[in-house]
């Protein structure tokens, strides 16, 4: 496919997304109907689509309308690409621009320019203060690819060498001792020996930093209460070089965990009836995902005030539920991939107000300007 044909394909996929089809489904539908498209074409169309979704509001502004074609026009304008080089009408390229399209578009301002919903902007500012605009701006750009070195399978230098042998270039990232940022060859990672042998896992650097912040030690009984795919359970198992129990309200979300654990050389028994006491219970709770909207931009536009209130209520219930599972003197670690105070600091403050037997021993908010996703971690200690 030509670069112009890829732009046209992305515009068509964006129209389906605007009509309500989830992005992955819209991309899959296009891919199945486009057998002529090679791996590079699919990757390029996907990149266009996700670039626009990160900038859903501002591309409509700079492109002069809400169709996929106008949003792609808006994206090209923001990227400084002359649209006339692609909107040629030749072959499968988009039709040439009309006079109205040439004259259309406006310079976005405020929350529109920062690609946040208007309703969220006041909360965003209250949560992030002076960092608010920068944090929103970071979410308008692609996220780096990070790997976690699995120390159960070898050292960081050994993992770097194994990746280099497969032409995957990485550098250590300061957010966590195990974090490597992929500089080139990211698309080769999932098929590399380093990955299939369990030396490395795909995991955001701030997600790794959250695990580094936990008071973990070998020999502890540890529970990952909201384990999902198990990324954090695996990272904790590597840190304590021992088993970590995994629980999730939706056990199907843990279905890949046995294979991932086997690859990593980790022991992660799953349970639906966790029995305390545990030295540490991690609650990586369901949240708005506002810290990871670079990777999953659809969430930014799906979130509503009602949806956020529901999430906050679920977070409160989960915290209350795990209290009896934590040993006296043990740790309840509360984590979100959010940057909103309602899900983070305010949630923890409400917990402490309702549970006098607990104290906050550590908390940290990670922002995309630190390099990884936005994450929050609070370590709550049960007074002995
Ligand atoms: C943010 S995800 C966890 C991600 C995972 N820890 C990781 O690192 O890959 C939140 C998980 O919480 C689970 N969940 C939702 N409500 C829950 C509840 N009431 N109790 C336990 N888990 C719950 C969801 O099914 C989801 O898998």
């Amino acid at each position: 496919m030509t670069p112009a044909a890829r732009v046209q394909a992305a515009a068509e996929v964006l129209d389906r997304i605007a009509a309500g089809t989830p992005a992955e489904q819209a991309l899959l539908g296009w891919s199945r109907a486009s057998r002529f498209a090679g791996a590079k074409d699919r990757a390029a169309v996907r990149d266009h689509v996700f670039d626009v979704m990160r900038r859903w509001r501002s591309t409509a502004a700079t492109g002069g309308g809400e169709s996929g074609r106008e949003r792609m026009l808006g994206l090209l304008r923001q990227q400084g690409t002359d649209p006339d080089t692609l909107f040629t009408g030749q072959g499968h390229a988009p039709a040439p621009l009309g006079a109205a399209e040439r004259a259309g578009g406006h310079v976005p301002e405020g929350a529109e320019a920062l690609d946040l919903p208007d309703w969220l902007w006041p909360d965003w500012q209250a949560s992030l203060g002076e960092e608010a605009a920068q944090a929103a701006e970071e979410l308008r750009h692609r996220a780096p690819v990070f790997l976690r070195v699995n120390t159960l399978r070898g050292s960081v230098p050994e993992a770097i060498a194994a990746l280099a042998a497969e032409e995957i270039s990485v550098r250590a990232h300061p957010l966590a001792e195990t974090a490597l940022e992929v500089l080139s060859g990211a698309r080769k990672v999932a098929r590399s020996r380093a990955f299939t042998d369990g030396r490395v896992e795909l995991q955001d650097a701030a997600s790794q930093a959250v695990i580094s912040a936990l008071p973990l030690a070998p020999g502890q009984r540890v529970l990952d209460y909201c384990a999902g795919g198990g990324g954090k359970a695996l990272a904790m198992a590597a840190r304590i070089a021992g088993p970590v129990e995994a629980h999730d309200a939706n056990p199907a979300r843990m279905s890949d965990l046995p294979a991932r654990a086997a690859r990593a050389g980790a022991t992660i028994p799953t349970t639906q009836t966790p029995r305390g006491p545990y030295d540490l219970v991690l609650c990586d709770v369901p949240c708005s995902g506002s810290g990871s909207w670079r990777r999953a931009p659809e969430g930014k536009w799906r979130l509503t005030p009602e949806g956020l209130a529901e999430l906050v209520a679920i977070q409160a219930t989960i915290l209350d539920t795990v209290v009896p599972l934590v040993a006296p003197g043990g740790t309840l670690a509360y984590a979100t991939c959010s940057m909103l105070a309602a899900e983070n600091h305010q949630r923890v403050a409400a917990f402490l107000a309702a549970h006098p037997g607990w104290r906050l021993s550590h908390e940290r908010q990670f922002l995309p300007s630190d390099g990884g996703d936005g994450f929050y971690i609070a370590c709550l200690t049960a007074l002995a």
Side-chain angles (χ1 to χ4, degrees):
M1 290 172 75
T2 63
R6 292 169 175 172
V7 167
Q8 175 61 27
E12 290 167 15
V13 173
L14 287 165
D15 280 334
R16 277 181 219 133
I17 293 170
T21 307
E24 292 297 350
Q25 202 180 314
L27 279 162
L28 190 63
W30 168 76
S31 189
R32 284 195 178 137
S34 311
R35 295 284 176 208
F36 53 85
K40 284 188 178 157
D41 298 318
R42 288 198 297 275
V45 170
R46 182 186 185 82
D47 282 348
H48 285 325
V49 166
F50 274 78
D51 284 346
V52 166
M53 286 200 305
R54 287 183 200 95
R55 303 179 179 203
W56 195 247
R57 288 191 76 182
S58 69
T59 51
T62 51
E66 297 191 346
S67 68
R69 173 182 168 89
E70 286 161 320
R71 288 187 202 275
M72 277 310 302
L73 174 59
L75 179 70
L76 295 170
R77 283 178 174 153
Q78 290 186 24
Q79 292 173 337
T81 302
D82 178 359
D84 285 326
T85 61
L86 295 161
F87 285 59
T88 60
Q90 288 164 15
H92 298 284
L97 294 178
E101 286 177 316
R102 273 180 207 290
H106 67 269
V107 178
E109 287 182 5
E112 184 182 47
L114 289 169
D115 280 295
L116 283 182
D118 282 329
W119 71 266
L120 186 59
W121 181 229
D123 281 357
W124 192 268
Q125 286 177 292
S127 298
L128 290 157
E130 287 178 358
E131 309 274 1
Q134 180 62 28
E137 177 59 32
E138 299 271 356
L139 297 177
R140 302 178 70 245
H141 301 269
R142 289 181 200 169
V145 176
F146 289 109
L147 303 175
R148 176 177 62 81
V149 176
N150 173 22
T151 49
L152 296 173
R153 291 280 192 226
S155 68
V156 172
E158 284 167 350
I160 293 174
L163 290 161
E166 297 181 82
E167 294 176 352
I168 298 165
S169 148
V170 296
R171 68 169 167 220
H173 194 277
L175 264 177
E177 281 176 3
T178 49
L180 301 177
E181 180 176 353
V182 180
L183 303 175
S184 65
R187 293 198 203 278
K188 287 188 243 174
V189 168
R191 279 176 281 112
S192 70
R193 282 282 302 276
F195 181 81
T196 55
D197 288 354
R199 275 186 191 281
V200 294
E201 273 279 347
L202 283 157
Q203 189 172 37
D204 177 71
S207 187
Q208 298 180 51
V210 161
I211 301 305
S212 303
L214 303 179
L216 287 166
Q220 287 178 335
R221 262 200 96 197
V222 177
L223 172 69
D224 186 352
Y225 189 74
C226 304
K232 292 192 183 61
L234 289 165
M236 290 195 289
R239 263 203 64 202
I240 64 171
V244 167
E245 289 176 53
H247 165 273
D248 197 286
N250 181 355
R253 299 196 64 157
M254 301 190 289
S255 55
D256 291 342
L257 200 36
R260 286 182 82 183
R263 194 171 66 221
T267 306
I268 315 279
T270 58
T271 174
Q272 280 314 104
T273 50
R275 289 193 212 291
Y278 293 94
D279 299 299
L280 186 140
V281 177
L282 172 65
C283 295
D284 183 23
V285 294
C287 71
S288 63
S290 57
S292 56
W293 282 343
R294 291 188 298 189
R295 298 179 200 281
E298 264 178 315
K300 177 152 80 166
W301 312 110
R302 289 246 163 94
L303 187 69
T304 60
E306 298 75 26
L308 181 58
E310 274 173 36
L311 286 165
V312 166
I314 292 168
Q315 292 157 3
T317 304
I318 290 175
L319 280 174
D320 288 345
T321 306
V322 300
V323 160
L325 298 176
V326 183
T331 300
L332 194 178
Y334 175 79
T336 71
C337 55
S338 173
M339 298 191 277
L340 296 172
E343 299 182 279
N344 296 340
H345 184 73
Q346 288 172 12
R347 182 86 326 273
V348 167
F351 174 85
L352 291 170
H355 298 83
W358 290 76
R359 72 177 170 83
L360 176 65
S361 47
H362 173 74
E363 80 177 327
R364 181 163 174 195
Q365 175 74 67
F366 295 94
L367 298 176
S369 54
D370 296 317
D373 288 350
F375 261 96
Y376 173 81
I377 176 72
C379 292
L380 300 154
T381 308
L383 299 178

